[in-house]
Amino acid sequence: MRPLLPLSGALGLFLLLFAAFRFTLGGLLLALLLSALLFLLLDRWQGGFLRRGPSPWARERLAMKEAWRRGGFLRPEDLSPYMPLSEAQALLQALAGRGLCRREGEGYRF
């Protein structure tokens, strides 16, 4: 699934350039070269995003949306499909520290 963005970008550029050069041999070679370069650049850029993972703000939004879906009460175990339990606990504690939720028993009320 990862090479979908680089592949679609490279294919789009290839088709655009090849048609712009009126389907000539030189246009084919130029389109292949530039689309391969675009594929490599997009693959590296996307790989960097995937290695870093979601931002802290994205994790907070995920926790709040999950709390909304569960009626305003969220336990760290409820976030286990998305992140390790220790990260979920730290995230919920940080949200409680900022006053966005409060601790109630084994979970947090939003």
Side-chain angles (χ1 to χ4, degrees), residues 5-29:
L5 175 68
L7 185 64
S8 62
L11 181 64
L13 182 67
F14 171 78
L15 293 173
L16 182 70
L17 289 176
F18 192 43
F21 286 105
R22 300 178 188 236
F23 306 103
T24 61
L25 180 62
L28 174 69
L29 295 176

mmCIF file of all heavy atoms in Angstrom, residues 5-29:
data_model
loop_
_atom_site.group_PDB
_atom_site.id
_atom_site.type_symbol
_atom_site.label_atom_id
_atom_site.label_comp_id
_atom_site.label_asym_id
_atom_site.label_seq_id
_atom_site.Cartn_x
_atom_site.Cartn_y
_atom_site.Cartn_z
ATOM 1 N N LEU A 5 0.991 6.321 -3.545
ATOM 2 C CA LEU A 5 1.158 7.742 -3.847
ATOM 3 C C LEU A 5 2.309 7.982 -4.819
ATOM 4 O O LEU A 5 2.122 8.668 -5.826
ATOM 5 C CB LEU A 5 1.345 8.547 -2.560
ATOM 6 C CG LEU A 5 1.655 10.030 -2.759
ATOM 7 C CD1 LEU A 5 0.443 10.742 -3.329
ATOM 8 C CD2 LEU A 5 2.071 10.652 -1.456
ATOM 9 N N PRO A 6 3.508 7.442 -4.570
ATOM 10 C CA PRO A 6 4.588 7.678 -5.536
ATOM 11 C C PRO A 6 4.279 7.104 -6.919
ATOM 12 O O PRO A 6 4.598 7.734 -7.936
ATOM 13 C CB PRO A 6 5.799 6.977 -4.920
ATOM 14 C CG PRO A 6 5.495 6.860 -3.487
ATOM 15 C CD PRO A 6 4.013 6.755 -3.376
ATOM 16 N N LEU A 7 3.658 5.959 -6.961
ATOM 17 C CA LEU A 7 3.347 5.348 -8.246
ATOM 18 C C LEU A 7 2.311 6.157 -9.015
ATOM 19 O O LEU A 7 2.471 6.394 -10.219
ATOM 20 C CB LEU A 7 2.854 3.914 -8.042
ATOM 21 C CG LEU A 7 2.594 3.109 -9.305
ATOM 22 C CD1 LEU A 7 3.885 2.915 -10.071
ATOM 23 C CD2 LEU A 7 1.985 1.778 -8.952
ATOM 24 N N SER A 8 1.272 6.611 -8.345
ATOM 25 C CA SER A 8 0.249 7.392 -9.044
ATOM 26 C C SER A 8 0.798 8.745 -9.494
ATOM 27 O O SER A 8 0.459 9.225 -10.582
ATOM 28 C CB SER A 8 -0.985 7.567 -8.169
ATOM 29 O OG SER A 8 -0.658 8.270 -7.000
ATOM 30 N N GLY A 9 1.636 9.370 -8.682
ATOM 31 C CA GLY A 9 2.246 10.632 -9.090
ATOM 32 C C GLY A 9 3.158 10.463 -10.291
ATOM 33 O O GLY A 9 3.130 11.271 -11.231
ATOM 34 N N ALA A 10 3.972 9.410 -10.272
ATOM 35 C CA ALA A 10 4.878 9.155 -11.390
ATOM 36 C C ALA A 10 4.109 8.800 -12.656
ATOM 37 O O ALA A 10 4.464 9.246 -13.756
ATOM 38 C CB ALA A 10 5.847 8.041 -11.020
ATOM 39 N N LEU A 11 3.067 8.023 -12.528
ATOM 40 C CA LEU A 11 2.265 7.655 -13.692
ATOM 41 C C LEU A 11 1.575 8.872 -14.295
ATOM 42 O O LEU A 11 1.547 9.045 -15.520
ATOM 43 C CB LEU A 11 1.229 6.592 -13.312
ATOM 44 C CG LEU A 11 0.330 6.103 -14.437
ATOM 45 C CD1 LEU A 11 1.162 5.399 -15.511
ATOM 46 C CD2 LEU A 11 -0.733 5.181 -13.892
ATOM 47 N N GLY A 12 1.044 9.726 -13.440
ATOM 48 C CA GLY A 12 0.393 10.949 -13.928
ATOM 49 C C GLY A 12 1.369 11.854 -14.661
ATOM 50 O O GLY A 12 1.060 12.392 -15.732
ATOM 51 N N LEU A 13 2.563 12.035 -14.084
ATOM 52 C CA LEU A 13 3.567 12.867 -14.748
ATOM 53 C C LEU A 13 4.021 12.239 -16.055
ATOM 54 O O LEU A 13 4.196 12.941 -17.054
ATOM 55 C CB LEU A 13 4.764 13.091 -13.824
ATOM 56 C CG LEU A 13 5.862 13.992 -14.400
ATOM 57 C CD1 LEU A 13 5.339 15.416 -14.553
ATOM 58 C CD2 LEU A 13 7.092 13.951 -13.531
ATOM 59 N N PHE A 14 4.204 10.922 -16.064
ATOM 60 C CA PHE A 14 4.615 10.241 -17.287
ATOM 61 C C PHE A 14 3.600 10.455 -18.405
ATOM 62 O O PHE A 14 3.956 10.826 -19.522
ATOM 63 C CB PHE A 14 4.808 8.745 -17.034
ATOM 64 C CG PHE A 14 5.028 7.962 -18.296
ATOM 65 C CD1 PHE A 14 6.265 7.977 -18.920
ATOM 66 C CD2 PHE A 14 3.997 7.246 -18.867
ATOM 67 C CE1 PHE A 14 6.474 7.278 -20.092
ATOM 68 C CE2 PHE A 14 4.191 6.540 -20.043
ATOM 69 C CZ PHE A 14 5.441 6.550 -20.656
ATOM 70 N N LEU A 15 2.342 10.234 -18.103
ATOM 71 C CA LEU A 15 1.305 10.396 -19.125
ATOM 72 C C LEU A 15 1.198 11.835 -19.607
ATOM 73 O O LEU A 15 1.030 12.087 -20.809
ATOM 74 C CB LEU A 15 -0.041 9.903 -18.597
ATOM 75 C CG LEU A 15 -0.143 8.405 -18.338
ATOM 76 C CD1 LEU A 15 -1.465 8.080 -17.666
ATOM 77 C CD2 LEU A 15 0.029 7.623 -19.619
ATOM 78 N N LEU A 16 1.317 12.775 -18.697
ATOM 79 C CA LEU A 16 1.244 14.182 -19.065
ATOM 80 C C LEU A 16 2.405 14.581 -19.976
ATOM 81 O O LEU A 16 2.205 15.214 -21.022
ATOM 82 C CB LEU A 16 1.222 15.043 -17.802
ATOM 83 C CG LEU A 16 1.110 16.547 -18.015
ATOM 84 C CD1 LEU A 16 -0.277 16.886 -18.528
ATOM 85 C CD2 LEU A 16 1.377 17.272 -16.718
ATOM 86 N N LEU A 17 3.612 14.196 -19.600
ATOM 87 C CA LEU A 17 4.772 14.560 -20.407
ATOM 88 C C LEU A 17 4.800 13.828 -21.746
ATOM 89 O O LEU A 17 5.150 14.424 -22.775
ATOM 90 C CB LEU A 17 6.062 14.277 -19.639
ATOM 91 C CG LEU A 17 6.354 15.200 -18.468
ATOM 92 C CD1 LEU A 17 7.599 14.747 -17.737
ATOM 93 C CD2 LEU A 17 6.502 16.633 -18.937
ATOM 94 N N PHE A 18 4.466 12.560 -21.730
ATOM 95 C CA PHE A 18 4.490 11.792 -22.968
ATOM 96 C C PHE A 18 3.483 12.356 -23.969
ATOM 97 O O PHE A 18 3.773 12.477 -25.159
ATOM 98 C CB PHE A 18 4.209 10.320 -22.673
ATOM 99 C CG PHE A 18 4.479 9.393 -23.818
ATOM 100 C CD1 PHE A 18 5.605 9.515 -24.601
ATOM 101 C CD2 PHE A 18 3.602 8.359 -24.099
ATOM 102 C CE1 PHE A 18 5.852 8.648 -25.654
ATOM 103 C CE2 PHE A 18 3.831 7.494 -25.149
ATOM 104 C CZ PHE A 18 4.968 7.639 -25.927
ATOM 105 N N ALA A 19 2.314 12.751 -23.484
ATOM 106 C CA ALA A 19 1.317 13.345 -24.376
ATOM 107 C C ALA A 19 1.736 14.745 -24.801
ATOM 108 O O ALA A 19 1.486 15.162 -25.935
ATOM 109 C CB ALA A 19 -0.039 13.381 -23.694
ATOM 110 N N ALA A 20 2.383 15.505 -23.904
ATOM 111 C CA ALA A 20 2.802 16.869 -24.235
ATOM 112 C C ALA A 20 3.863 16.870 -25.330
ATOM 113 O O ALA A 20 3.933 17.807 -26.130
ATOM 114 C CB ALA A 20 3.323 17.572 -22.990
ATOM 115 N N PHE A 21 4.701 15.852 -25.358
ATOM 116 C CA PHE A 21 5.726 15.746 -26.409
ATOM 117 C C PHE A 21 5.240 14.961 -27.618
ATOM 118 O O PHE A 21 6.034 14.469 -28.414
ATOM 119 C CB PHE A 21 7.009 15.137 -25.837
ATOM 120 C CG PHE A 21 7.771 16.085 -24.968
ATOM 121 C CD1 PHE A 21 7.761 15.949 -23.585
ATOM 122 C CD2 PHE A 21 8.485 17.131 -25.524
ATOM 123 C CE1 PHE A 21 8.464 16.826 -22.788
ATOM 124 C CE2 PHE A 21 9.194 18.011 -24.726
ATOM 125 C CZ PHE A 21 9.184 17.864 -23.355
ATOM 126 N N ARG A 22 3.941 14.827 -27.731
ATOM 127 C CA ARG A 22 3.271 14.234 -28.890
ATOM 128 C C ARG A 22 3.746 12.811 -29.199
ATOM 129 O O ARG A 22 3.915 12.438 -30.353
ATOM 130 C CB ARG A 22 3.423 15.127 -30.113
ATOM 131 C CG ARG A 22 2.816 16.470 -29.878
ATOM 132 C CD ARG A 22 3.006 17.351 -31.060
ATOM 133 N NE ARG A 22 2.571 18.694 -30.721
ATOM 134 C CZ ARG A 22 1.663 19.349 -31.409
ATOM 135 N NH1 ARG A 22 1.107 18.816 -32.461
ATOM 136 N NH2 ARG A 22 1.320 20.559 -31.035
ATOM 137 N N PHE A 23 3.960 12.033 -28.155
ATOM 138 C CA PHE A 23 4.252 10.595 -28.247
ATOM 139 C C PHE A 23 5.496 10.294 -29.098
ATOM 140 O O PHE A 23 5.537 9.326 -29.844
ATOM 141 C CB PHE A 23 3.035 9.831 -28.793
ATOM 142 C CG PHE A 23 1.794 10.092 -27.997
ATOM 143 C CD1 PHE A 23 0.806 10.952 -28.457
ATOM 144 C CD2 PHE A 23 1.625 9.505 -26.753
ATOM 145 C CE1 PHE A 23 -0.337 11.204 -27.709
ATOM 146 C CE2 PHE A 23 0.493 9.747 -25.997
ATOM 147 C CZ PHE A 23 -0.494 10.597 -26.477
ATOM 148 N N THR A 24 6.510 11.119 -28.968
ATOM 149 C CA THR A 24 7.769 10.883 -29.689
ATOM 150 C C THR A 24 8.705 10.064 -28.819
ATOM 151 O O THR A 24 8.496 9.906 -27.614
ATOM 152 C CB THR A 24 8.443 12.213 -30.050
ATOM 153 O OG1 THR A 24 8.746 12.911 -28.841
ATOM 154 C CG2 THR A 24 7.546 13.064 -30.931
ATOM 155 N N LEU A 25 9.774 9.551 -29.449
ATOM 156 C CA LEU A 25 10.753 8.749 -28.714
ATOM 157 C C LEU A 25 11.465 9.605 -27.671
ATOM 158 O O LEU A 25 11.688 9.166 -26.533
ATOM 159 C CB LEU A 25 11.763 8.116 -29.681
ATOM 160 C CG LEU A 25 12.840 7.257 -29.036
ATOM 161 C CD1 LEU A 25 12.203 6.074 -28.323
ATOM 162 C CD2 LEU A 25 13.839 6.803 -30.066
ATOM 163 N N GLY A 26 11.831 10.826 -28.026
ATOM 164 C CA GLY A 26 12.470 11.724 -27.057
ATOM 165 C C GLY A 26 11.536 12.048 -25.900
ATOM 166 O O GLY A 26 11.964 12.128 -24.746
ATOM 167 N N GLY A 27 10.273 12.245 -26.206
ATOM 168 C CA GLY A 27 9.292 12.496 -25.158
ATOM 169 C C GLY A 27 9.124 11.301 -24.240
ATOM 170 O O GLY A 27 8.950 11.450 -23.040
ATOM 171 N N LEU A 28 9.181 10.102 -24.814
ATOM 172 C CA LEU A 28 9.087 8.878 -24.014
ATOM 173 C C LEU A 28 10.253 8.778 -23.041
ATOM 174 O O LEU A 28 10.060 8.505 -21.851
ATOM 175 C CB LEU A 28 9.051 7.652 -24.924
ATOM 176 C CG LEU A 28 9.107 6.296 -24.231
ATOM 177 C CD1 LEU A 28 7.823 6.050 -23.466
ATOM 178 C CD2 LEU A 28 9.366 5.188 -25.230
ATOM 179 N N LEU A 29 11.457 9.028 -23.547
ATOM 180 C CA LEU A 29 12.644 8.927 -22.681
ATOM 181 C C LEU A 29 12.635 10.003 -21.597
ATOM 182 O O LEU A 29 12.938 9.721 -20.431
ATOM 183 C CB LEU A 29 13.904 9.017 -23.529
ATOM 184 C CG LEU A 29 14.117 7.872 -24.518
ATOM 185 C CD1 LEU A 29 15.350 8.138 -25.363
ATOM 186 C CD2 LEU A 29 14.221 6.550 -23.794
#
